[in-house]
């Protein structure tokens, strides 16, 4: 199945205490990469989140953003360093006695003392919250997948159009190919007649024409191109990640087109070869965005 690597998906799941939102977007990438941005309290389940995504998405660069509104992911509490506070109070009393100061410490003074009162956190390992996160991520990934499929359908339509154009150029090349050797033989006969004042060595012409025909033969390249085009169409029907295989086939098509261009000793075939490579380049651009 042709599936684009570009897409977006969003899902929100909530109850009476909190709402979890997962936003996911993806772009084309040579490999598969997942970047997750979420509250640090969720770092322990990052690998599980990535497994949820990788069970649905197979290629591309995926960015996931998780936000939580409502219930805190951690329980907060106050910690008092009583030993340090005792030392502060004792020091304040001694200073007052030494310098005859009797204003005394106020509660507000104690609350301002450095390192005496701190706020601690205890992470909330609520399994229900984790289940909601996984569900939101999965739903967002499925929606992203649907968008990638929709885009992929447009890509497939264009790819099929380009394949048909390629086949038409290949057919033209096949049509011109037999005439190349015939025209070369005629040119050779004319040149030899001019140089030998009308005397033609037929055996030499046949030998030269045979050597040229072997050198200029592109039948094998045309056969391989047709095979690659057939494989291209078959691959687009498969229910799996097909981008890398299509990319490989495009490289092979380009290789055969270059060989035909280098072998061609004919203006019509050369022109078709240039057009062939132009269409293959358009294929390459499209294939780079396929999962």
């Amino acid at each position: 199945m042709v599936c684009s690597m570009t897409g977006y998906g969003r899902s929100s799941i909530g109850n009476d205490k909190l709402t979890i939102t997962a936003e996911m977007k993806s772009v084309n990438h040579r490999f598969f990469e997942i970047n997750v941005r979420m509250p640090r309290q969720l770092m322990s389940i990052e690998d599980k989140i990535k497994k949820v995504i990788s069970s649905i998405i197979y290629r591309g660069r995926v960015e996931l953003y998780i936000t939580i509104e409502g219930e805190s992911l951690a329980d907060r509490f106050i910690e008092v360093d009583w030993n340090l506070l005792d030392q502060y109070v004792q020091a304040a009393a001694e200073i007052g006695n030494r310098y005859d100061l009797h204003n005394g410490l106020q509660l507000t003074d104690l609350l301002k003392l450095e390192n005496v009162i701190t706020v601690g956190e205890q992470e909330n390992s609520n399994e229900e919250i984790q289940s909601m996160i996984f569900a939101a991520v999965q739903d967002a990934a499925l929606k992203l997948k649907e968008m990638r499929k929709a885009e992929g359908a447009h890509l497939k339509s264009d790819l099929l159009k380009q394949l048909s154009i390629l086949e038409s150029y290949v057919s033209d090349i096949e049509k011109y190919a037999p005439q190349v050797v015939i025209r070369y033989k005629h040119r050779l006969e004319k040149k030899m007649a001019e140089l030998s004042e009308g005397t033609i060595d037929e055996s030499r012409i046949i030998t030269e024409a045979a050597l040229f025909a072997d050198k200029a033969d592109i039948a094998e390249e045309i056969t391989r191109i047709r095979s690659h085009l057939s494989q291209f169409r078959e691959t687009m029907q498969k229910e799996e990640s097909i981008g890398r295989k299509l990319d490989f086939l495009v490289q092979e098509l380009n290789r055969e087109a270059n060989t035909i261009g280098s072998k061609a000793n004919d203006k019509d075939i050369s022109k078709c070869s240039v057009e062939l490579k132009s269409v293959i380049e358009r294929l390459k651009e499209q294939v780079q965005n396929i999962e």
Side-chain angles (χ1 to χ4, degrees), residues 172-211:
D172 287 342
I173 291 172
E174 268 187 317
K175 180 178 65 177
Y176 296 137
Q179 301 301 317
V180 174
V181 176
I182 295 173
R183 284 198 289 267
Y184 176 77
K185 186 179 179 182
H186 289 163
R187 290 199 303 271
L188 196 59
E189 289 174 344
K190 182 179 179 181
K191 188 173 183 180
M192 288 186 69
E194 291 172 353
L195 294 174
S196 59
E197 298 179 353
T199 304
I200 298 176
D201 186 344
E202 190 65 33
S203 63
R204 185 178 175 186
I205 289 177
I206 293 174
T207 301
E208 290 290 337
L211 290 172

Side-chain angles (χ1 to χ4, degrees), residues 6 44 56 83 132 152 215 253:
T6 303
S44 62
I56 300 169
N83 182 50
M132 291 172 66
K215 183 180 178 180
L253 285 168

Side-chain angles (χ1 to χ4, degrees), residues 95-218:
I95 292 170
N97 291 331
R98 181 183 288 265
Y99 298 104
D100 196 25
L101 301 172
H102 302 290
N103 290 335
L105 286 174
Q106 301 297 317
L107 178 59
T108 53
D109 298 324
L110 296 177
L111 294 175
K112 294 176 183 177
L113 294 174
E114 189 174 358
N115 298 323
V116 170
I117 299 176
T118 57
V119 178
E121 274 191 358
Q122 177 65 46
E123 291 187 10
N124 189 341
S125 58
N126 191 317
E127 291 185 2
E128 182 183 1
I129 293 177
Q130 292 187 16
S131 296
M132 291 172 66
I133 291 170
F134 295 144
V137 170
Q138 183 181 51
D139 189 44
L142 289 171
K143 289 177 179 177
L144 181 142
K145 184 76 171 181
E146 285 304 310
M147 185 173 179
R148 284 161 63 120
K149 285 181 179 179
E151 174 122 0
H154 293 295
L155 284 173
K156 182 179 180 180
S157 177
D158 187 67
L159 287 172
L160 289 172
K161 180 180 177 181
Q162 300 305 324
L163 291 179
S164 296
I165 295 173
L166 272 177
E167 285 175 328
S168 68
Y169 284 126
V170 172
S171 296
D172 287 342
I173 291 172
E174 268 187 317
K175 180 178 65 177
Y176 296 137
Q179 301 301 317
V180 174
V181 176
I182 295 173
R183 284 198 289 267
Y184 176 77
K185 186 179 179 182
H186 289 163
R187 290 199 303 271
L188 196 59
E189 289 174 344
K190 182 179 179 181
K191 188 173 183 180
M192 288 186 69
E194 291 172 353
L195 294 174
S196 59
E197 298 179 353
T199 304
I200 298 176
D201 186 344
E202 190 65 33
S203 63
R204 185 178 175 186
I205 289 177
I206 293 174
T207 301
E208 290 290 337
L211 290 172
F212 176 81
D214 184 62
K215 183 180 178 180
D217 183 30
I218 56 174

Side-chain angles (χ1 to χ4, degrees), residues 79-88 114-118:
E79 289 184 321
V80 179
D81 189 333
W82 295 106
N83 182 50
L84 181 61
L85 182 58
D86 288 343
Q87 293 181 55
Y88 269 121
E114 189 174 358
N115 298 323
V116 170
I117 299 176
T118 57

Side-chain angles (χ1 to χ4, degrees), residues 213-229:
D214 184 62
K215 183 180 178 180
D217 183 30
I218 56 174
E220 188 176 342
E221 286 74 17
I222 289 174
T223 299
R224 282 200 290 263
I225 285 179
R226 291 200 179 279
S227 174
H228 295 330
L229 294 176

